[in-house]
Amino acid sequence: MADVAPKEDEAALQAAMLARARAAMALSHAPHSNFPVGACVRAVSGQLYAGCNIENASYPEGWCAETTAISHMIMAGENQITHVLVIAEKQSGATPCGGCRQRLSEFVTKDAVLYLCDEKGVSQTLPFTDIFPSGFSL
């Protein structure tokens, strides 16, 4: 799931990312947790990549929305993220889990932005480093 994002207008960027994340969340496969999540990442190129969480019978094994979005980005040949947006149907302001924070940290730029959402839209904007200041590195 990829689209080119607006580069200049932050409100337009947020709206585009939110629309992609909501559409992805609607496709969530969460029969065990009943906790649908959608995510959208913006690559350096401006392309948007969205994903949803996908669970399986050996719950909690499965993968998160952020992981799916990263996978779409990598499969498109990209490897740097400037913006991350997360939305959860049942929790306002949901942040990426610890595993996704590490996964994202491997691809985010130094000044990457994280958008957290509620049912109305983006409710908080913060630097990614605020939620994950020190991850594992090579």
Side-chain angles (χ1 to χ4, degrees):
M1 301 173 87
D3 280 330
V4 176
K7 291 187 179 183
E8 308 283 316
D9 183 358
E10 186 173 11
L13 173 61
Q14 289 177 359
M17 291 182 74
L18 182 60
R20 299 288 293 171
R22 279 189 171 140
M25 183 172 62
L27 299 172
S28 173
H29 179 73
H32 307 286
S33 71
N34 197 29
F35 192 79
V37 179
C40 185
V41 298
R42 180 182 183 265
V44 171
S45 68
Q47 288 289 117
L48 298 180
Y49 301 94
C52 64
N53 55 323
I54 304 169
E55 299 173 354
N56 63 52
S58 63
Y59 181 77
E61 290 298 315
W63 55 94
C64 300
E66 299 89 336
T67 302
T68 305
I70 291 167
S71 298
H72 286 291
M73 180 192 73
I74 295 297
M75 292 299 295
E78 303 214 48
N79 63 10
Q80 287 191 296
I81 296 170
T82 62
H83 296 77
V84 178
L85 182 142
V86 179
I87 186 166
E89 187 175 272
K90 297 182 178 184
Q91 182 182 346
S92 292
T95 63
C97 73
C100 284
R101 291 176 194 205
Q102 177 62 45
R103 283 181 203 93
L104 287 162
S105 76
E106 307 232 352
F107 301 102
V108 294
T109 58
K110 290 180 184 179
D111 59 347
V113 173
L114 174 64
Y115 297 128
L116 303 179
C117 301
D118 60 21
E119 65 283 348
K120 295 177 186 174
V122 174
S123 60
Q124 189 174 6
T125 301
L126 58 151
F128 179 80
T129 54
D130 279 9
I131 68 155
F132 201 66
S134 302
F136 293 103
S137 64
L138 296 175

